Amino acid sequence: MEPLHLGSCSIYVGTCSWKDHTRFFPEKLPDPQKIAFYAEHFPFVEVDSTYYGMPSARNAVLWAERTPPGFLFGFKAYRVMTLQGRHEDGRRVPEEPTPELFQQFSEGVRPLQEAGKLAYVLLQFPDWFLPWKQNAKAREPFEYLAACAEWLPGLPLAVEFRNGYWFQGERAEQTLRFLSDHNLAYTVVDEPQVGVSRSAPDVQAVTSELSVMRFHGRRTDVWAQRGVGVADRFSYDYSTEELQPWADRLAALARETKHLFVGFNNCHHDFAVNNAKQLMQMLLDL
């Protein structure tokens, strides 16, 4: 599947992960063949399993071999890299973010980068990662963002925030200018709005030649609840009326960037694949 093109921008629409879409694949299709089948329908996928464990160079080689030329992979950064030191079940992760850890991550995705199939690495920070230093033991947030860019040299990077404090008042301009100065792509989000401390606002901005947009659904009833499983938090099927305005807005983003990646993270049932196909058709109809 080829990306869409609007002017000089290539638009890649896909989903965040591929194995979750059980009803999307032919019955009894072996797991190793699923990425090839997926690539017949979409031009890119975001690998989110690397949030829970470091990427495997061996897997990267196999994925490069099993996908057609031009197909691209995004990767979600390992959770320790974005200062998230716990599993969802509460077990503490012993690692600390170090340059060596970032280098290990880089080595895991290098085969895809060398094959020309690496779209971006997503640094998704938690809602408690604020744009100011919280206490003497905390890291200075802007300095840490700069360190992430330094420790992942040569990789296309995107940053996603999970609270609105980064965009209150004059801080919005500071945040976007910092991302632009460090060639970090701002990640536009559509997500439940449950207050400034737990939700990123609907900000449409471009800070590099690469742009990322992620759809998380609109489950306001469970978005901020601790202990809610991923399947429940992202169980949301966008309606046509909800997606149509985004087609127009994405077209506007495309006029300001060269590569736009749109990932649906509502990976429950087949919501993500269906919504991704709907949006692709809407963009074609513009």
Side-chain angles (χ1 to χ4, degrees):
M1 171 64 71
E2 296 291 325
L4 307 176
H5 296 281
L6 282 179
S8 60
C9 179
S10 299
I11 304 178
Y12 296 79
V13 180
T15 66
C16 302
S17 83
W18 69 87
K19 292 184 180 179
D20 295 335
H21 318 304
T22 53
R23 293 184 291 186
F24 168 67
F25 296 105
E27 188 176 357
K28 297 182 180 180
L29 183 70
D31 278 353
Q33 297 179 26
K34 288 182 177 179
I35 187 59
F37 179 85
Y38 174 96
E40 295 176 6
H41 298 263
F42 301 101
F44 112 101
V45 72
E46 183 182 281
V47 181
D48 284 1
S49 60
T50 47
Y51 173 79
Y52 301 101
M54 296 292 280
S56 159
R58 174 58 178 162
N59 283 343
V61 169
L62 292 174
W63 294 341
E65 293 174 349
R66 292 169 180 169
T67 51
F71 185 86
L72 299 179
F73 291 82
F75 281 84
K76 194 172 179 180
Y78 180 49
R79 60 183 177 271
V80 177
M81 296 162 64
T82 50
L83 307 177
Q84 301 177 81
R86 290 182 181 274
H87 289 273
E88 290 198 3
D89 63 6
R91 292 177 295 156
R92 182 171 294 279
V93 177
E95 300 106 314
E96 287 293 326
T98 62
E100 292 75 21
L101 187 71
F102 280 68
Q103 177 62 28
Q104 184 183 348
F105 190 95
S106 297
E107 291 172 357
V109 302
R110 183 169 296 139
L112 284 165
Q113 184 182 28
E114 292 175 348
K117 292 189 173 186
L118 180 64
Y120 59 82
V121 173
L122 175 72
L123 299 162
Q124 180 191 282
F125 288 91
D127 52 26
W128 50 259
F129 184 67
L130 302 170
W132 58 80
K133 188 173 181 178
Q134 300 173 59
N135 54 61
K137 294 183 179 180
R139 297 172 184 270
E140 204 290 324
F142 285 99
E143 288 182 3
Y144 187 70
L145 287 172
C148 290
E150 179 183 346
W151 294 343
L152 292 171
L155 295 185
L157 303 179
V159 174
E160 178 179 340
F161 300 108
R162 281 291 179 93
N163 68 63
Y165 292 113
W166 292 87
F167 296 97
Q168 286 194 321
E170 295 180 356
R171 189 170 286 116
E173 181 180 352
Q174 178 191 12
T175 297
L176 295 173
R177 183 173 61 251
F178 179 90
L179 294 179
S180 180
D181 289 346
H182 290 81
N183 197 29
L184 296 168
Y186 170 66
T187 300
V188 181
V189 294
D190 182 280
E191 67 185 30
Q193 296 298 304
V194 295
V196 67
S197 64
R198 295 290 181 85
S199 299
D202 182 1
V203 174
Q204 184 173 318
V206 172
T207 58
S208 77
E209 293 184 347
L210 158 72
S211 291
V212 178
M213 161 76 201
R214 303 179 84 226
F215 285 90
H216 296 305
R218 299 181 181 180
R219 289 290 305 274
T220 56
D221 55 331
V222 297
W223 183 250
Q225 290 185 23
R226 301 302 185 188
V228 174
V230 172
D232 291 326
R233 183 172 286 117
F234 298 105
S235 176
Y236 191 84
D237 189 10
Y238 283 91
S239 68
T240 300
E241 292 73 22
E242 290 170 327
L243 289 178
Q244 187 62 62
W246 272 111
D248 298 327
R249 297 180 66 184
L250 290 170
L253 281 174
R255 289 193 286 271
E256 301 180 53
T257 190
K258 289 187 176 181
H259 306 285
L260 173 58
F261 295 92
V262 183
F264 280 85
N265 195 33
N266 53 332
C267 294
H268 186 69
H269 295 307
D270 284 334
F271 294 156
V273 290
N274 292 337
N275 288 158
K277 288 186 175 183
Q278 285 178 280
L279 183 64
M280 289 170 71
Q281 187 58 55
M282 291 174 183
L283 291 169
L284 284 170
D285 291 341
L286 290 179

